[in-house]
Amino acid sequence: MFMMQIISQVYQITIRYANMFLLVEEHLTLIDTGLHGSTPGVVHFIHSLGRSPEEIGLIILTHNHMDHFGGLAELRKLTKARVAAPRADFAADGGILPHPAGNYFGKLLSPPALSPLRRRFVLQAKDVDTLLDGGEVFPALGGLQVVPTPGHTSGSISLYTPQQKLLIVADALNKRHDVLRLPLKTAASGLN
Ligand SMILES: [Zn+2]
């Protein structure tokens, strides 16, 4: 687990290889939730700031990959945070993802007894409170803009704050061998 303050009020939390960003204001905003099992580390870090996970008011998922939504089910038990994620990463009917990996995992894990396991691999639109189309502005950091940056997945978003000139790109850019590159193209609900 690795933590770094990016700028005032903005922290990066890395657990295993998955990055999350915590915006610390009157309310807390969490961008991405890491892999399944990451939540105790996130909670520990929030406590180290003298804050509490119940203070998370908003969780924004940058795209529908399980190393970004994996901690969501655990966080839902601890917070009443609203959850926002890009609409284009979900099936239009709110069902299983329109991508090959999503369909595969969805069908494989369709028996009701497997639903807890299924939630680890397939995030569905019903797991999200607000579906984002791009252009939305959240109040965090004086105006946190949703910028569509498709490519890594069809719905991938970045988040931009004009006041701080901070752009959080998540997997819209990729560092390989210490070189910043364009993203790996993947189906939503894969692992990356
Ligand atoms: Zn990804």
Side-chain angles (χ1 to χ4, degrees), residues 126-140:
K126 66 180 173 56
D127 300 318
V128 173
D129 302 306
T130 305
L131 290 169
L132 303 169
D133 295 302
E136 295 86 352
V137 181
F138 293 106

Side-chain angles (χ1 to χ4, degrees), residues 63 65 67-68 152-153 156 171 186 190-192:
H63 62 292
H65 276 166
D67 48 342
H68 294 256
H152 179 64
T153 64
S156 285
D171 290 355
T186 58
L191 181 65
N192 250 305

Side-chain angles (χ1 to χ4, degrees), residues 95-119:
I96 291 169
L97 292 164
H99 307 283
N103 286 328
Y104 175 75
F105 281 122
K107 284 181 185 143
L108 196 68
L109 301 172
S110 60
L114 294 179
S115 65
L117 194 58
R118 174 180 157 140
R119 288 176 66 90

Side-chain angles (χ1 to χ4, degrees), residues 17 35 37-38 56 59 64 78-79 101 112 119 125 127 136 141-143 149-150 153 177 190-191:
Y17 64 87
L35 289 153
S38 299
I56 303 175
I59 296 171
N64 195 347
L78 302 175
T79 81
R119 288 176 66 90
D127 300 318
E136 295 86 352
L141 298 175
T149 47
T153 64
H177 309 296
L191 181 65

